[in-house]
Amino acid sequence: EGWDVTNLYTIVPLRAAHARILIEQSIGRGLRLPYGKRTGVSTVDRLNIVAHDRFQEIIDEANRPESKIRLQQIVLTDDQLHNRTETVVSKSNISGRLGIGSAVSTPAKGTSAPEPLFTNPVEQHYSKLTLDAIRTLEKCPDKVPIVEYLNTPEVQSILVDAIFAVKEPVQTELEGLTEKPDIAAIVEKTARFIVSQTINIPRILVVPKCEVQTGFHQFTLDVSHFNYPAPDEELWIKHLRTDKLEIVGLGKDNTDETRLEDYIVAGLVDFDDIAYDQHADLLYDLSCQAVAHFRSYLSEDTEIRKVLRIHQREIARNIHAQMQAHFWESGTEYEMVISRGFTELKDCAYTAGKDEEPLDFRHSPKDKTNMPRYLFAGFQRCLYPYQKFHSDSERRLAVILDRETLKWFRPAKGQFQIFYKSGHEHPEYQPDFVAETENAILMLEPKAKNEMQDPVVIAKRDAAVIWCKHASDHALKHNGKPWVYALIPHDAVVDNMTVDMLVRQFKCI
């Protein structure tokens, strides 16, 4: 990715280093000095490359006097020294168009800020108070279960009362105004605009009806992957510049456990879903099984202790992963609670080149392999002025949505707070697209065709389907629109497809 970072200490390649340039780039990244200069501490100034057949070729190359890897003096120009990127903050059209001070999107190069809904300072003031009152009403789903309720006379009356309750003097005479502003009209215009630029995204909480108890059943540990050899405590280091040979040994950290099993138990209790008091018997049973396996091929306890010290975390992770298949939970009856009928759209921050103007999203860039670096604009129905895409299929889907839906956007992290189970963790799921049509609200996830059956993708899909069902139940009670989730293979997103065809073909029930 060309990520420039100085405090990078360990590089672990996740693909075979067959290309020479890839190896050189990896070494080059490792050669960056954390403090910008040599410190005199060899462990900080030294780049360690673990022996590897392909890296050996580079080391042999480095020994040649004319090698590029050898120390050279490079003079950088001013352009190379200065950062060539900038941060572009993309705020929702609501913040941008209401003309509320700094609450507008940071314009990218070649673009201008959106025209404000109100230009008069006094009207802007009362519009801001209206927005603040609406943010308070977000937390009252009994009064505003869906955003369309903001257009009702009852809710607008609440907003007007909230504005009059705010003790903030507005000196209209300083602006040359003699007429008293029509607060009700400002409230009505602001609310109508917010409704037009909002998609109903409720805040859904799933809470247990009774006390929930969890645990793990006893089981026989699969030790087939625990075949660690007794490690050698010496590491040979050869310096390329001086050919000096250095031997480094393992230091004593004075953390030897009394029992061998304690190494594994200490690693297991670090996981959030394991309470020692509740699972102590199980943890020691599993640890004894692992230690018994090590004794089957290692002759001395000192060798086993070395293995457990070095591979403690890896062994604990393996055992913990096996425990997930034996997890149990009681009192699993839950109920859905709607804490907000709708939620304000969150800001998005993107990195863009200083000299690069946003691209027209209707046209594919020349370099599709580097799609995440491009900033796109030119939308008609997007709720944000700027967006980024991870692939060209996402860009094509945006073209279809901008052509056929009422409004759409790409959610920022934390917008939905949907969580899925991945091992013992519950990461947040961030959908790719949300769009509203005449009849439904769509949550769309374009995915590479070869990833459609990936376990993580399936877990995200299942969590999203459940969320959409709860959101639909809530919306339909208040004459809102149902939610539909669709998992779409990337090769199905073509220009002649319609939103309706994509949803009918790939919606998940």
Side-chain angles (χ1 to χ4, degrees):
E1 300 258 344
W3 182 37
D4 285 330
V5 59
T6 55
N7 58 339
L8 180 65
Y9 302 102
T10 305
I11 302 174
V12 182
L14 298 181
R15 58 173 172 163
H18 296 307
R20 182 184 188 84
I21 187 64
L22 177 61
I23 302 172
E24 292 180 351
Q25 287 176 343
S26 299
I27 294 176
R29 290 191 176 101
L31 285 172
R32 291 171 181 153
L33 296 172
Y35 300 97
K37 62 181 180 180
R38 293 186 182 275
T39 64
V41 181
S42 61
T43 55
V44 176
D45 298 337
R46 181 176 61 215
L47 168 64
N48 297 325
I49 304 174
V50 179
H52 185 284
D53 291 342
R54 297 291 296 178
F55 280 97
Q56 184 61 46
E57 296 179 12
I58 300 299
I59 294 172
D60 293 340
E61 172 71 15
N63 287 322
R64 296 172 50 244
E66 64 275 13
S67 171
K68 294 180 180 179
I69 298 179
R70 287 193 170 275
L71 187 64
Q72 299 181 45
Q73 182 180 14
I74 300 176
V75 179
L76 300 178
T77 64
D78 290 340
D79 288 341
Q80 291 172 316
L81 287 171
H82 288 86
N83 187 9
R84 307 302 298 169
T85 63
E86 63 181 352
T87 299
V88 176
V89 178
S90 182
K91 292 180 176 287
S92 69
N93 294 338
I94 294 174
S95 298
R97 291 287 306 283
L98 288 182
I100 303 172
S102 61
V104 296
S105 296
T106 304
K109 183 178 176 61
T111 65
S112 57
E115 181 181 350
L117 191 67
F118 297 100
T119 56
N120 183 287
V122 176
E123 292 179 338
Q124 288 180 356
H125 172 78
Y126 285 111
S127 178
K128 180 182 183 302
L129 293 181
T130 302
L131 180 59
D132 292 340
I134 290 174
R135 286 169 174 164
T136 301
L137 283 179
E138 278 187 25
K139 306 171 186 177
C140 304
D142 55 328
K143 296 179 180 178
V144 188
I146 57 176
V147 73
E148 283 78 11
Y149 273 55
L150 294 178
N151 286 333
T152 63
E154 296 80 8
V155 173
Q156 291 193 7
S157 176
I158 295 175
L159 294 174
V160 172
D161 292 342
I163 290 176
F164 279 115
V166 177
K167 304 300 183 181
E168 291 188 22
V170 182
Q171 298 178 348
T172 57
E173 66 274 14
L174 295 180
E175 306 296 335
L177 297 177
T178 57
E179 296 183 4
K180 187 177 181 179
D182 188 342
I183 296 179
I186 296 173
V187 168
E188 191 273 337
K189 185 177 181 180
T190 302
R192 187 172 66 250
F193 176 74
I194 289 176
V195 170
S196 71
Q197 295 296 315
T198 302
I199 293 178
N200 279 306
I201 302 175
R203 181 62 49 82
I204 299 176
L205 302 177
V206 180
V207 298
K209 290 185 177 180
C210 56
E211 183 180 358
V212 177
Q213 296 180 341
T214 61
F216 300 92
H217 295 294
Q218 298 281 138
F219 66 96
T220 300
L221 190 66
D222 179 7
V223 294
S224 59
H225 298 291
F226 295 166
N227 297 313
Y228 305 104
D232 190 343
E233 293 190 348
E234 290 184 347
L235 180 67
W236 288 36
I237 299 177
K238 182 179 180 181
H239 294 255
L240 286 179
R241 293 190 301 119
T242 62
D243 286 333
K244 177 184 176 182
L245 184 64
E246 184 178 345
I247 299 177
V248 178
L250 293 179
K252 297 296 183 180
D253 55 9
N254 297 320
T255 58
D256 285 346
E257 301 287 357
T258 304
R259 293 181 292 177
L260 297 176
E261 291 81 4
D262 291 342
Y263 286 100
I264 300 176
V265 173
L268 288 171
V269 295
D270 285 339
F271 292 97
D272 294 337
D273 58 341
I274 296 180
Y276 177 81
D277 293 340
Q278 181 182 353
H279 302 103
D281 293 340
L282 173 63
L283 298 183
Y284 274 102
D285 176 67
L286 296 174
S287 300
C288 288
Q289 293 182 48
V291 171
H293 169 71
F294 291 128
R295 284 200 172 108
S296 68
Y297 71 91
L298 295 174
S299 58
E300 298 180 4
D301 282 2
T302 55
E303 294 180 336
I304 300 176
R305 192 176 296 274
K306 291 178 184 178
V307 169
L308 295 176
R309 286 176 58 195
I310 294 176
H311 301 288
Q312 179 193 40
R313 292 185 179 179
E314 184 178 351
I315 294 170
R317 282 196 298 266
N318 189 302
I319 295 176
H320 181 255
Q322 294 186 46
M323 292 173 64
Q324 301 308 305
H326 304 276
F327 176 80
W328 61 266
E329 183 178 69
S330 64
T332 56
E333 190 176 357
Y334 295 89
E335 62 180 350
M336 178 194 66
V337 176
I338 302 295
S339 63
R340 298 191 181 193
F342 66 98
T343 52
E344 184 179 9
L345 298 183
K346 293 182 175 293
D347 299 343
C348 301
Y350 302 120
T351 299
K354 283 187 176 180
D355 299 325
E356 297 180 8
E357 297 184 3
L359 301 181
D360 187 339
F361 81 110
R362 297 175 183 83
H363 305 294
S364 178
K366 294 181 179 179
D367 183 11
K368 297 180 183 179
T369 61
N370 207 13
M371 184 68 72
R373 70 179 288 260
Y374 299 117
L375 188 67
F376 291 90
F379 312 107
Q380 297 297 318
R381 301 179 182 180
C382 182
L383 300 183
Y384 289 88
Y386 313 116
Q387 298 275 248
K388 276 195 172 187
F389 307 111
H390 296 115
S391 64
D392 197 53
S393 60
E394 289 186 358
R395 182 199 62 79
R396 289 196 301 271
L397 182 57
V399 173
I400 297 173
L401 296 177
D402 207 66
R403 181 181 68 204
E404 300 181 21
T405 64
L406 300 177
K407 43 196 169 183
W408 67 274
F409 71 104
R410 286 173 58 80
K413 186 174 182 181
Q415 185 70 64
F416 280 84
Q417 296 192 1
I418 301 175
F419 300 93
Y420 65 97
K421 186 172 177 59
S422 177
H424 70 286
E425 298 179 340
H426 289 79
E428 181 183 347
Y429 171 45
Q430 182 178 340
D432 281 340
F433 291 89
V434 173
E436 183 173 345
T437 66
E438 292 289 349
N439 303 314
I441 300 177
L442 311 176
M443 185 183 295
L444 307 176
E445 182 77 19
K447 189 63 63 175
K449 187 176 182 179
N450 62 351
E451 297 180 359
M452 294 290 286
Q453 298 303 317
D454 182 86
V456 174
V457 174
I458 298 300
K460 292 179 179 179
R461 179 203 66 187
D462 293 345
V465 168
I466 294 174
W467 188 95
C468 287
K469 180 183 182 303
H470 292 321
S472 295
D473 293 342
H474 170 73
L476 293 175
K477 289 179 182 178
H478 305 282
N479 298 319
K481 299 177 181 178
W483 281 77
V484 178
Y485 181 81
L487 181 61
I488 306 171
H490 77 283
D491 57 352
V493 183
V494 292
D495 291 341
N496 63 346
M497 288 290 286
T498 65
V499 173
D500 184 60
M501 291 175 63
L502 289 172
V503 171
R504 280 189 297 167
Q505 188 172 357
F506 300 107
K507 70 178 179 180
C508 304
I509 300 176

